[in-house]
Amino acid sequence: MKPSSCSLVDIQQRINEVMQFLSVTLPIANAHTVEFYTQDVWKRFMAVSPEEVLLAVTPNSDRQREPERRRTEPSGTMFGFCSHSNRLLDTHEFLQGAKAHSLPGLEVCTSRSDFLLELKGNWSESTVLPEIVTELEADEFMNSKKSHEVQSMSEVVAGLARHSGVKQVIDVGSGKGYLSSFLSLQYGLQVYGIDSSSTNTHGAQERNRKLKKFSRVYQKQAKAGRTRGEATAQRGSAKVEPELKEDEDALCVDASRNESQEEEGVPIISSSPAAGRQTELSPDSEELFLSALSADVLEPASPRVPSSQLSDEEKERRKRENVERKAQSRRDGASDVFSPLTSYVTAETELRELITELEDAVVVGLHTCGNLAPSTLRMFVAKPELAAVCSVGCCYHLLSEEFDPAGPESLDRSCGFPLSQYLHDRSCFCGRNARMSACLALERVSLGQGIQMESLFYRAVLHVILRDHYGSYKSDRRVGNVYSKAKSFLDYVRQALRKLELDESKLSDSDIQDYHDKYRPRMAEMHAFNMLKVTIAPCIEGLILLDRLCYLKEQEPVTFSALVQLFDPLLSPRCYAVIGLKASTKRKTSC
């Protein structure tokens, strides 16, 4: 079956398959790494050796077999787990199940190239093809990750706009404005970038000003280069690069610095242009697992302040800034290019109050953080002026869950998960630790860009010390990023105890070292267990994304919806877009 032709029933069936797999394996993802030794996690979940697990998860292992979906072993195991003890007996059965219940294994996604072909195949003869107004080289002012994301997504968004017969784009959680600027400069679309951080909005406006200068310089130099090249064709000509002025030069440096910061945050829990400021996850409790991963395995999160929590003065200031920014854009003759706005948006946001010039538009979000991604889909469904949506979410650990028994009680349906009525009727939930695990990047870990095990090990052993000598598992204070400053395990424990304001004189240096020496031989258990967590990650992410796709397929106004892999997962692990289209007289609706 063609992935983009999957019906609502097909998606519900895939959801059932993933839920069956996770019903057996989700406890692994929800286990606290901090409590690995205090709760004897390995013994609780595993009936195999860590060496067997590590051998099995090694890429290209000749012991790996092809996946089979929905397999139940007659020996009393399901997906490798014993039906009675719920402990893992067969690592390979587990790995087969995980591969089969990831999005590629479920065969519900379409590639970016196939989607573009299908989209263009449904254009009528009168449809205006995507026009490249200015040919830009994105890697001139972005790092390779951001350049790949922006160029890949821009072509899809431009195609959706042309297919829908619209010229406006609303970029929700626009962050530093790279996608917005590229869409406006490359494709001539009128883009409104909305971000909850005024710092990001100001930065995006300034960056767009520099990008416009850069594009003019680039065009002029490229044209001159072509002229010189034609005149000296017989001798051969060198590539002509644009000669940047001082502020364009600064732009390149600024882009490189900011984008590397975006990429090196939390999980491939992805940089969140979505939400503005980057925040550092605490390495305590369940968050330790993410904070201890190498920078290229995680992507960063950014907090958003709801408008209900803003003071009247702050609301008025933001409104005044938006008005002044629009006026300045008109004076600069740039009102038809890119307009950055500061606002916290939800499905209830009145877009026409925020954007007075709003016409029918495509709403997009590149790595929108936490609840912002499902809010974007709700907004698309609720607003008749939104003709299409292209949403790439991230930071699943920041999603709110309606039915998580360990989470805060929710009295409404505005939570980020579940979004679909199908999963809502089943009271489905994942759990915070599982959502954090969903942020991990299996592709990168498989290539050895993996987990910083020593920091996780140090924190788990510290937890044993806190239990044995201080009678506490939790504290109002957090250990924080002590590991990066510690010279040894002894130094780590001393610094942690001081930060927790505990009496470190209770322990001698030899006492502390004895704990390290006792648990060091069991470090392989932690490594193997965390590799199993990474293996489950794509299945949890798959359930979250299938829920969003199912939601769109449940909506009557939505005539087409699909999951599309936009990015290379090695460059950008949060690589899937949820795409939807509504019926319109301006386009064919058979897509």
Side-chain angles (χ1 to χ4, degrees):
M1 176 173 50
K2 198 173 183 179
S4 61
S5 66
C6 289
S7 67
L8 174 59
V9 173
D10 295 327
I11 297 304
Q12 290 172 344
Q13 178 59 39
R14 296 297 191 274
I15 287 175
N16 290 341
E17 293 176 12
V18 178
M19 288 179 66
Q20 182 185 25
F21 175 74
L22 291 178
S23 69
V24 178
T25 61
L26 201 61
I28 289 180
N30 272 317
H32 291 256
T33 306
V34 168
E35 299 173 343
F36 190 80
Y37 298 121
T38 58
Q39 299 293 324
D40 206 357
V41 170
W42 183 265
K43 184 177 181 180
R44 179 154 50 115
F45 290 107
M46 300 292 132
V48 294
S49 69
E51 291 76 20
E52 179 180 335
V53 171
L54 292 173
L55 177 63
V57 299
T58 300
N60 302 320
S61 169
D62 56 9
R63 295 178 60 186
Q64 293 186 352
R65 299 190 291 264
E66 286 301 311
E68 296 179 23
R69 223 166 29 239
R70 296 170 292 177
R71 174 164 179 167
T72 303
E73 291 300 300
S75 59
T77 65
M78 177 175 282
F79 305 117
F81 284 81
C82 175
S83 302
H84 304 291
S85 67
N86 297 323
R87 299 171 71 198
L88 182 64
L89 297 174
D90 189 328
T91 305
H92 294 284
E93 289 297 327
F94 166 80
L95 294 178
Q96 288 175 15
K99 186 174 182 180
H101 294 89
S102 64
L103 288 177
L106 292 167
E107 299 179 347
V108 293
C109 295
T110 188
S111 68
R112 174 178 165 276
S113 58
D114 286 347
F115 173 73
L116 286 172
L117 286 174
E118 185 175 359
L119 188 66
K120 293 174 182 177
N122 283 273
W123 286 345
S124 65
E125 294 181 359
S126 60
T127 301
V128 180
L129 297 179
E131 176 186 356
I132 296 180
V133 176
T134 302
E135 187 73 51
L136 293 177
E137 294 292 338
D139 54 7
E140 294 282 354
F141 48 89
M142 306 177 204
N143 68 8
S144 58
K145 176 180 183 291
K146 185 58 65 178
S147 172
H148 171 66
E149 293 167 350
V150 167
Q151 290 188 88
S152 298
M153 188 164 178
S154 290
E155 186 178 4
V156 170
V157 173
L160 289 170
R162 296 325 193 260
H163 180 90
S164 303
V166 304
K167 296 182 179 179
Q168 291 187 349
V169 173
I170 300 174
D171 184 4
V172 177
S174 54
K176 301 181 189 310
Y178 287 108
L179 176 64
S180 297
S181 294
F182 197 83
L183 283 168
S184 63
L185 293 173
Q186 175 98 343
Y187 292 101
L189 293 166
Q190 185 177 9
V191 185
Y192 297 95
I194 305 176
D195 197 272
S196 63
S197 166
S198 58
T199 302
N200 273 351
T201 305
H202 286 300
Q205 186 177 36
E206 178 63 13
R207 190 168 289 104
N208 187 67
R209 181 186 68 81
K210 294 176 180 179
L211 283 173
K212 285 190 291 182
K213 284 189 176 182
F214 176 83
S215 70
R216 288 195 293 267
V217 172
Y218 194 96
Q219 291 177 74
K220 184 183 297 183
Q221 294 293 335
K223 183 177 180 180
R226 287 193 298 270
T227 303
R228 287 195 295 271
E230 291 171 1
T232 60
Q234 66 277 17
R235 299 192 305 271
S237 59
K239 180 182 179 183
V240 179
E241 298 290 348
E243 299 171 3
L244 300 183
K245 298 179 182 178
E246 182 177 352
D247 55 355
E248 278 85 36
D249 218 0
L251 167 67
C252 295
V253 175
D254 179 62
S256 175
R257 178 173 64 249
N258 286 320
E259 283 305 306
S260 64
Q261 290 172 349
E262 278 191 73
E263 190 171 359
E264 292 175 3
V266 198
I268 269 179
I269 296 181
S270 159
S271 161
S272 185
R277 298 175 299 280
Q278 174 178 319
T279 51
E280 207 174 272
L281 286 187
S282 166
D284 284 79
S285 187
E286 70 274 13
E287 295 182 350
L288 173 74
F289 183 58
L290 293 180
S291 63
L293 293 173
S294 59
D296 52 6
V297 181
L298 298 179
E299 301 177 85
S302 308
R304 299 165 64 236
V305 180
S307 55
S308 60
Q309 298 179 16
L310 296 175
S311 65
D312 291 339
E313 292 78 7
E314 176 64 13
K315 291 179 181 177
E316 183 61 31
R317 185 186 68 79
R318 291 189 175 192
K319 183 176 180 180
R320 187 170 59 252
E321 284 182 351
N322 287 336
V323 172
E324 292 173 353
R325 198 171 292 115
K326 289 179 182 179
Q328 182 62 45
S329 293
R330 282 191 288 268
R331 288 194 295 271
D332 293 343
S335 58
D336 59 340
V337 181
F338 170 42
S339 302
L341 305 170
T342 302
S343 178
Y344 178 92
V345 294
T346 67
E348 289 72 40
T349 300
E350 289 298 333
L351 295 175
R352 295 194 184 278
E353 292 182 6
L354 191 63
I355 307 169
T356 55
E357 306 89 347
L358 182 64
E359 302 170 358
D360 286 356
V362 176
V363 62
V364 304
L366 173 54
H367 290 153
T368 43
C369 192
N371 284 346
L372 186 54
S375 291
T376 301
L377 298 179
R378 286 190 175 107
M379 182 189 302
F380 164 66
V381 170
K383 308 297 180 185
E385 61 267 30
L386 298 179
V389 63
C390 181
S391 171
V392 182
C394 71
C395 304
Y396 303 127
H397 62 299
L398 296 181
L399 279 173
S400 58
E401 290 195 77
E402 186 170 355
F403 300 108
D404 184 358
E409 183 178 359
S410 175
L411 301 178
D412 57 38
R413 289 289 305 276
S414 62
C415 288
F417 184 87
L419 188 60
S420 67
Q421 188 64 46
Y422 186 74
L423 282 181
H424 186 270
D425 291 344
R426 286 153 181 76
S427 301
C428 182
F429 72 92
C430 295
R432 177 170 172 77
N433 280 358
R435 286 183 282 109
M436 294 179 79
S437 296
C439 298
L440 302 172
L442 175 62
E443 292 82 4
R444 289 184 175 182
V445 173
S446 298
L447 289 183
Q449 303 172 16
I451 305 170
Q452 298 175 0
M453 286 307 309
E454 190 173 65
S455 61
L456 294 172
F457 172 73
Y458 279 13
R459 184 60 183 86
V461 178
L462 172 65
H463 206 59
V464 177
I465 293 174
L466 294 177
R467 178 197 64 184
D468 292 352
H469 296 276
Y470 298 93
S472 63
Y473 292 90
K474 296 182 179 180
S475 169
D476 292 336
R477 294 180 174 272
R478 296 183 179 275
V479 173
N481 192 21
V482 171
Y483 174 79
S484 64
K485 307 169 187 175
K487 299 176 182 177
S488 63
F489 178 73
L490 174 62
D491 187 32
Y492 172 86
V493 173
R494 293 292 185 200
Q495 288 191 45
L497 293 176
R498 287 193 292 270
K499 191 164 185 178
L500 295 172
E501 297 184 349
L502 297 174
D503 181 9
E504 61 177 300
S505 66
K506 284 187 176 183
L507 295 168
S508 67
D509 288 354
S510 61
D511 291 335
I512 295 173
Q513 190 61 41
D514 285 346
Y515 276 95
H516 176 276
D517 295 344
K518 176 182 178 180
Y519 286 97
R520 185 74 185 190
R522 296 182 59 187
M523 190 171 174
E525 293 177 0
M526 179 176 282
H527 186 191
F529 192 82
N530 285 329
M531 289 302 294
L532 294 179
K533 275 194 169 189
V534 172
T535 303
I536 300 172
C539 306
I540 305 170
E541 179 183 34
L543 180 64
I544 293 170
L545 295 180
L546 285 172
D547 172 55
R548 295 174 184 179
L549 178 60
C550 185
Y551 168 76
L552 289 187
K553 290 190 177 294
E554 291 171 344
Q555 309 307 313
E556 186 175 342
V558 180
T559 57
F560 171 84
S561 55
L563 277 176
V564 180
Q565 183 176 332
L566 291 188
F567 313 135
D568 179 345
L570 284 174
L571 283 174
S572 183
R574 303 283 76 79
C575 61
Y576 296 105
V578 180
I579 291 178
L581 286 162
K582 292 178 185 172
S584 170
T585 57
K586 297 179 182 180
R587 64 179 183 275
K588 299 171 77 174
T589 60
S590 59
C591 182

